[in-house]
Amino acid sequence: MDAAGLLHGFRLIALDTVGSTNDEAGRLAGEGASEGTLVRARRQTAGRGRLGRTWISEAGNLYFSMVLRPGCRLGQAGQIGFVAANAVADAVAEALPGTVAVGCKWPNDVLAAGRKVSGMLLESEVDGAGDLQWLILGIGINVENHPENARFPATSLRACGAGCDISADTVLETFCRRFRAGYAEWLRDGFEPVRKAWLARAVGRGKDIRARLASATVEGVFEDVDAGGALVVRGADGTLTTVNAGDVFFPETPPSAGE
Ligand code: BTN
């Protein structure tokens, strides 16, 4: 793996309006854009969330997608979502008063005061042999506004008391600084330090959770995150179930109607 692309900084492409920064970054990656190419937009008209959902993208928030070429196995690529979630959590915590709790919610959400302030869409491209070509790391951070009827209750930095010197620009700067350091550490030392840092901020660990998968629901205690980034849930009979994709809810925050 080679960190040189990122250690030399990011190549910022700032757009006013775009369909989805993930699509634009993916198009550029297909044309050979280098690691660290970062597409940012003031607003998106077709912002995409996980599991095929819409990501409402009005002006005032931060929307960006980064091209990464980590040279790792496809099975390790999901680890980068945890590297990025740690960097988002750092940037969110730096923007907010110290009294506001900032946490990580599996897989890659960041919560402030128990509500979702950031989401991430990690997309990969593989070649005919099944090898990873590139990753697109797409992140949305609610700075000025947030949806009222989201599946999981949402908030924004502004609603949580961020000072008026905090803007999408300053949050992006902090994220890039933190991500650069975290990505270099992951390349050097592997997933374990990243996993530990993420677990230190994990919301609901050791407590009852409900994980909604495409065609099933897993209920039990949030036990761990494994070396592949999967969620490990302990059922009432002690059986461990590994969840690779889904939505996590906590009993005290039932899903609301909407998106
Ligand atoms: C989620 O929580 O469902 C993931 C949301 C990811 C949204 C970001 S905004 C920038 C990038 N472009 C997109 O279309 N989606 C991601």
Side-chain angles (χ1 to χ4, degrees):
M1 291 187 239
D2 171 18
L6 272 183
L7 294 175
H8 286 110
F10 300 88
R11 184 169 75 100
L12 178 65
I13 298 169
L15 305 173
D16 185 78
T17 303
V18 74
S20 158
T21 55
N22 260 43
D23 292 344
E24 184 60 13
R27 190 184 67 73
L28 293 171
E31 291 175 355
S34 56
E35 170 155 281
T37 300
L38 194 156
V39 179
R40 181 203 172 168
R42 199 175 61 86
R43 55 187 285 271
Q44 300 181 114
T45 54
R48 295 188 286 112
R50 288 171 60 243
L51 309 173
R53 299 192 185 113
T54 298
W55 186 260
I56 297 163
S57 305
E58 292 168 11
N61 294 339
L62 179 57
Y63 313 107
F64 68 96
S65 302
M66 192 189 298
V67 177
L68 293 170
R69 298 181 182 274
C72 65
R73 293 197 313 276
L74 182 60
Q76 293 175 301
Q79 297 176 1
I80 296 176
F82 292 84
V83 175
N86 288 341
V88 171
D90 286 341
V92 166
E94 256 188 55
L96 292 178
T99 47
V100 180
V102 175
C104 293
K105 174 175 170 282
W106 189 89
N108 300 140
D109 291 350
V110 173
L111 309 186
R115 292 172 162 255
K116 179 162 169 169
V117 73
S118 172
M120 189 184 305
L121 181 62
L122 195 58
E123 298 182 305
S124 57
E125 178 76 13
V126 292
D127 64 16
D131 291 327
L132 179 66
Q133 294 300 290
W134 68 77
L135 276 177
I136 304 300
L137 173 66
I139 295 178
I141 302 179
N142 299 333
V143 178
E144 301 283 350
N145 52 68
H146 61 86
E148 290 299 338
N149 295 312
R151 173 173 290 262
F152 189 90
T155 190
S156 68
L157 297 181
R158 199 64 71 215
C160 286
C164 41
D165 53 327
I166 298 300
S167 65
D169 287 359
T170 55
V171 175
L172 178 61
E173 277 168 29
T174 313
F175 169 82
C176 285
R177 181 164 39 84
R178 299 290 191 155
F179 181 75
R180 187 185 297 118
Y183 187 69
E185 181 190 46
W186 175 74
L187 288 167
R188 192 183 59 237
D189 302 332
F191 187 48
E192 198 45 27
V194 176
R195 180 178 158 277
K196 281 210 176 102
W198 188 91
L199 282 172
R201 273 192 166 130
V203 176
R205 191 173 186 207
K207 302 214 171 103
D208 284 339
I209 58 164
R210 184 178 307 126
R212 288 217 182 131
L213 288 57
S215 57
T217 298
V218 174
E219 290 185 331
V221 172
F222 169 12
E223 190 79 11
D224 208 349
V225 164
D226 72 14
L231 179 74
V232 182
V233 180
R234 182 180 294 277
D237 62 356
T239 318
L240 295 180
T241 304
T242 298
V243 176
N244 288 299
D247 286 318
V248 165
F249 296 97
F250 310 111
E252 65 271 24
T253 54
S256 50
E259 181 198 356

